[in-house]
Amino acid sequence: MALIGREPPAEIVVRAPEVSARHAELTHLRDDQYQLADLGSTNGTYVNGQRIQTAVVTPADHIELGSCPFDLAAWLHMIPRADAGRGPAPSYAPPPPAAPYAPPPPYAPPPPYAPPPPYAPPPAPAPYAPPPPASFSSPPAPYSPAAAAYSPPPPPPPPYMPASSASGAYLPAGGATYGGAPPPYESYEGPSAGYAPAPPSASTLPGFLFVPGVLRAIEGGGTFRTVFAWILRISAGLAVLGGLGLSATLWMAASSMEAKGIAGLLLFQVLLVVGIYAIAHTVLIRASDIAHLTESEFVVIPIFTIYLRLTGETLAWSFATFGFGGGLLGLFMEVPAGALGGLPGLPGLSLGSSGGGTLAALMAMLSGIVMAFGALLFFYLLAEMVSVTVAIARNTEAIRKQGEQAGKGLAAGG
C-alpha cells in the first residue's frame, strides 16, 4: 500500500496545489490491478472522468487527483506488490525412468606409434625494395576557408524531458526511466523557462467545452453558497419592507383610538421596530455564515443546517415581538368593535368593545415567550440531528474501510 500526497511522508509525492497532503492510497491486488481509495481529499479523485471513493484501476486508466493528471504506470515501482516474496509451489514431477543397461563396447587397442616428420626451416624473407619516388601530375587544391569553417555539434538532449503521458512527472530523455522507474519524490513543479508541455491525449476534451468547468464549480459548493447567501440578504430587505408596511397599517387604525390606545400603539411600534431590526440582522449574519463556509465533501448539508437554525431564530423573534406587543395593546387599548379586526398576527388581543383585560395581556406575553423558546428548541434540534446523522455516516464509512484493510492484511499474512 502506497500513500499519495502533496508532500512527505507520502510515498508518492505529487507537488500540485490541487493535491491534498493525504489525497489517496494505492494497493496492489493482482497482476496489473490496483485498488485506488480517496482519503477524503478536498478536490476529489477521478478515474476516467468519474469521481470515486474506491475503485480498481490499471495502468491504462486515466486518473486525476483533483485536476492534476496522475500516471499510474510511472509509479508502479513505489507500490508494494501483494505477491512479493511468494511464488507458486513447485509441483512434484517423478524422476525419469532409468535407461536400460547397455554393456560397454569391446576393448580396442590404440594405433601404433608414428614418429613426427623431420624439422623443416622456414623460407628466407624477400630482400628489401625501396618505394618508388612520388610524382605530382597536378598541384594540390588551394586553401578554402569555407571548407574549414567550424561547425558546432548539435546540443545534447536535456537529462530530463516531460513525460508523454502528461502526468506532470519528468522522465529521462529518450523515454527511458531512471534506473527502471522515476526517482522518488520527483513530481511536477509547474512550467519553467524553455519547458514545452506534452501534447494533450486523445481523451482530453477541447478547451471550448464549458460544461466540465461548470460542473466542477457546482461540485465545489461555491455556487450554492453564493446563491443562498444572496437569497437571505434579499429576504432581510423584504422583511424590513414588510415591517414598515405593517407599521403604516397600524397607524392608519389609530384615527379611531383614544389617547390611551395611541400610547399602547406607540409602545407596540417601538417593539415592532426592535423585532424587525433583530430579524433582519439575524438573517444577514446567517447569510455571512453561509458565504464564508469552507469547502468540504458536503455541499448542501452545511447550508441546510444553517437554514434550520435561522428558521428557529426568526420565529423566536416574531413570537416574542408580537406576544409582548399584543400584551401591551391589550393593556392600553380600548377600541371600537372591528377597528383592528383586519390585522393578523396580534395574539392576546380582544377586538371587542372594551379591548382585552390584564389577564389577556399577560397571557399574550407568556404565549410569546413559550412559542419563541419552542421554535428555537425544535429547529435547533433538527439541525443537530442532521449533523449527528452525517457524523454517523462518516464514521461508518471509516470503520468499513478499516475493516477492509484489516481483512486484506490478514489475507496477505495468511
Side-chain angles (χ1 to χ4, degrees):
M1 181 172 59
L3 175 64
I4 304 174
R6 188 174 58 247
E7 56 189 11
E11 289 84 359
I12 300 176
V13 175
V14 180
R15 300 187 187 275
E18 299 88 354
V19 180
S20 301
R22 290 175 52 84
H23 197 102
E25 279 185 348
L26 274 171
T27 305
H28 179 248
L29 300 177
R30 67 186 68 84
D31 299 332
D32 63 342
Q33 295 185 357
Y34 298 80
Q35 177 174 287
L36 177 61
D38 187 85
L39 301 179
S41 62
T42 300
N43 296 312
T45 303
Y46 297 82
V47 176
N48 297 324
Q50 299 293 328
R51 185 166 184 170
I52 59 97
Q53 291 297 325
T54 303
V56 177
V57 298
T58 65
D61 290 323
H62 182 70
I63 303 173
E64 290 179 300
L65 307 178
S67 60
C68 178
F70 178 78
D71 187 10
L72 175 59
W75 297 98
L76 295 181
H77 74 290
M78 299 296 295
I79 308 170
R81 296 184 61 85
D83 54 357
R86 295 188 300 173
S91 58
Y92 172 74
Y101 174 75
Y107 173 76
Y113 172 74
Y119 172 74
Y128 172 75
S135 62
F136 297 96
S137 59
S138 62
Y143 172 75
S144 176
Y150 173 73
S151 177
Y160 286 91
M161 296 294 289
S164 61
S165 60
S167 64
Y170 285 84
L171 301 178
T177 58
Y178 180 82
Y185 306 123
E186 186 167 8
S187 59
Y188 177 71
E189 296 290 351
S192 59
Y195 170 75
S201 62
S203 62
T204 303
L205 292 175
F208 60 83
L209 295 180
F210 62 90
V211 175
V214 173
L215 295 181
R216 295 280 176 86
I218 293 175
E219 288 180 354
T223 302
F224 284 98
R225 293 191 292 270
T226 302
V227 170
F228 281 110
W230 275 107
I231 289 175
L232 288 184
R233 294 185 180 109
I234 295 172
S235 300
L238 294 177
V240 172
L241 293 177
L244 294 176
L246 178 59
S247 176
T249 304
L250 289 174
W251 279 116
M252 290 174 61
S255 59
S256 59
M257 298 180 185
E258 298 181 356
K260 187 177 181 181
I262 294 176
L265 183 60
L266 180 61
L267 291 176
F268 179 79
Q269 289 282 11
V270 173
L271 289 177
L272 183 61
V273 170
V274 173
I276 292 173
Y277 160 75
I279 292 174
H281 199 177
T282 302
V283 173
L284 292 177
I285 289 174
R286 293 309 183 190
S288 177
D289 292 343
I290 292 175
H292 292 86
L293 283 173
T294 58
E295 291 188 3
S296 67
E297 57 183 320
F298 301 107
V299 177
V300 180
I301 289 178
I303 301 175
F304 181 63
T305 55
I306 293 178
Y307 257 76
L308 288 175
R309 291 187 173 91
L310 174 61
T311 303
E313 292 159 356
T314 53
L315 287 177
W317 285 119
S318 301
F319 290 145
T321 299
F322 287 109
F324 273 88
L328 291 175
L329 285 176
L331 287 174
F332 284 89
M333 288 179 61
E334 293 181 1
V335 298
L340 296 179
L343 300 179
L346 300 178
L349 282 181
S350 174
L351 301 179
S353 59
S354 61
T358 303
L359 180 60
L362 294 178
M363 289 298 298
M365 295 179 182
L366 181 61
S367 299
I369 294 175
V370 172
M371 294 174 69
F373 182 77
L376 278 177
L377 179 63
F378 177 74
F379 284 98
Y380 267 62
L381 180 61
L382 283 181
E384 292 180 2
M385 288 176 63
V386 172
S387 301
V388 169
T389 303
V390 172
I392 291 174
R394 183 182 297 164
N395 292 337
T396 303
E397 179 66 15
I399 293 172
R400 184 186 66 80
K401 290 183 179 180
Q402 291 178 357
E404 289 180 355
Q405 293 177 0
K408 292 175 183 177
L410 292 176

